[in-house]
Amino acid sequence: MGLLMHMEQGQGMGTRSSGRALRVWAGLLVLGIALPAHAVERVFSGEFAAGFDDNVANARRGAVLRDDVVAQVGAAYENVWRLAPNSLMGFQLSAEARGHDRYDGLDDIAASVRWRWAYRRDGGFYTPLLGASLRVERSEFDSRLRDVWTYRAGVFAQQQLTTRMTWRLGWSARAVDGVHARVFETGARSASVDLDWLLARRLVLYAGYQYLDGDLVSVAPNPPPAAVAAARAIAEDDVFDGESAFRLASRADVYSAGLNFSLSAHWSIDARWRLVDAEADTGTPYRREQGLLSLLWRY
């Protein structure tokens, strides 16, 4: 990730990034249409959720943190095809809307297209499942500054440890193009490990760790001179009046945990928690904690 020392007031490369995003999105749609007409499985899924975010402006440690209550709803449709006896391919369309109680400018709607592939050599208990995925997402915020196209690619390996425990190793990359501005044009690479543990017939405990190397965007009324000098982009924020949003190179440790309780074959309740502990290249630490309680459905 080259250093982009670009100071701006909200003007970006919207035409270029949007054109590229549309081509990628159209390519995935064409791939989905070109796949065999008869799917092995068709899955409808969705979520109704509410939660909290204790640092919506991603302020540095020691600064005044602004928290908010968040509600979201989402739905997805996926077709899954069997390519061979030991491999599957999936194509998914999804949409999501998110609302905030105090900071309406952070409200957004998003739509995405995802392609995924999975392979397992044989039916042995310890034989790992290997997979890859590509995803393109368009997010529209009440904040013009935050409208973006997001591209994600990843690979993973998943394996049974016992009849009740499964672990998963993954690597992914993310690139974000701003529609109207560059300050939220972030990029990141990450490596992760996750563990699922079936505690009881209907109860699953899961936990994960992710190391992330990439960008963070923080908002502050008076950014420190060191942050301004190191910023890859900076712009006047349109949600927090009189403040500036600035993008910095960073590294982060991300911890997550949750419980999933199955109500029936199609419905479940999920509670999850996430902690991001980051440090910018300037040495400034950042910390953000989030929680979400969801009602999930799948048919």
Side-chain angles (χ1 to χ4, degrees):
M1 296 181 295
L3 183 64
L4 174 63
M5 295 300 293
H6 178 79
M7 311 299 282
E8 61 168 356
Q9 294 301 319
Q11 297 301 314
M13 301 293 288
T15 302
R16 173 186 57 79
S17 64
S18 296
R20 177 171 62 187
L22 287 171
R23 288 194 295 272
V24 176
W25 199 336
L28 288 177
L29 283 171
V30 169
L31 174 62
I33 294 171
L35 288 169
H38 299 291
V40 174
E41 185 180 20
R42 291 181 174 87
V43 179
F44 292 90
S45 60
E47 176 181 29
F48 304 96
F52 74 89
D53 187 328
D54 78 339
N55 188 7
V56 293
N58 209 27
R60 70 184 187 278
R61 282 192 179 183
V64 176
L65 303 187
R66 285 162 285 196
D67 58 13
D68 207 347
V69 174
V70 182
Q72 66 185 50
V73 59
Y77 171 71
E78 182 175 29
N79 271 6
V80 180
W81 293 267
R82 185 172 298 281
L83 302 180
N86 52 5
S87 66
L88 296 171
M89 181 181 290
F91 180 77
Q92 182 190 76
L93 300 173
S94 63
E96 184 179 72
R98 184 182 298 104
H100 291 71
D101 180 44
R102 297 173 59 191
Y103 301 100
D104 296 340
L106 300 178
D107 296 351
D108 75 294
I109 57 174
S112 68
V113 177
R114 186 189 71 173
W115 167 89
R116 66 185 180 100
W117 168 82
Y119 168 82
R120 194 177 187 195
R121 188 187 62 209
D122 57 50
F125 184 80
Y126 293 108
T127 301
L129 176 70
L130 307 177
S133 66
L134 297 171
R135 181 170 179 168
V136 180
E137 181 175 274
R138 172 69 163 90
S139 300
E140 184 86 14
F141 287 78
D142 283 351
S143 160
R144 179 178 171 86
L145 198 68
R146 290 166 170 79
D147 294 344
V148 293
W149 286 94
T150 303
Y151 315 91
R152 293 184 177 90
V155 294
F156 72 89
Q158 180 175 303
Q159 184 181 36
Q160 290 288 136
L161 295 176
T162 71
T163 55
R164 290 178 174 267
M165 299 181 70
T166 304
W167 76 321
R168 174 180 170 129
L169 297 175
W171 179 90
S172 65
R174 181 187 73 232
V176 180
D177 276 341
V179 177
H180 308 292
R182 286 181 174 170
V183 68
F184 283 91
E185 285 191 344
T186 61
R189 298 176 297 274
S190 66
S192 61
V193 57
D194 298 279
L195 179 69
D196 289 355
W197 184 9
L198 181 63
L199 297 176
R201 187 170 63 89
R202 294 188 175 187
L203 184 63
V204 175
L205 169 68
Y206 56 91
Y209 167 77
Q210 180 183 42
Y211 176 76
L212 191 148
D213 181 10
D215 300 313
L216 67 80
V217 179
S218 180
V219 179
N222 297 296
V228 173
R232 295 180 168 185
I234 187 168
E236 183 179 347
D237 198 88
D238 56 359
V239 174
F240 303 96
D241 293 338
E243 303 188 21
S244 297
F246 51 96
R247 172 161 49 96
L248 298 170
S250 69
R251 292 159 304 281
D253 298 303
V254 183
Y255 307 93
S256 60
L259 282 170
N260 183 280
F261 179 73
S262 177
L263 300 172
S264 69
H266 301 294
W267 294 85
S268 65
I269 295 176
D270 189 270
R272 54 191 180 270
W273 164 87
R274 182 172 182 259
L275 174 66
V276 181
D277 193 2
E279 183 178 2
D281 280 0
T282 58
T284 305
Y286 295 81
R287 186 181 185 278
R288 189 170 184 176
E289 188 173 356
Q290 299 165 318
L292 200 66
L293 180 65
S294 304
L295 177 64
L296 306 176
W297 55 272
R298 178 184 175 92
Y299 288 89

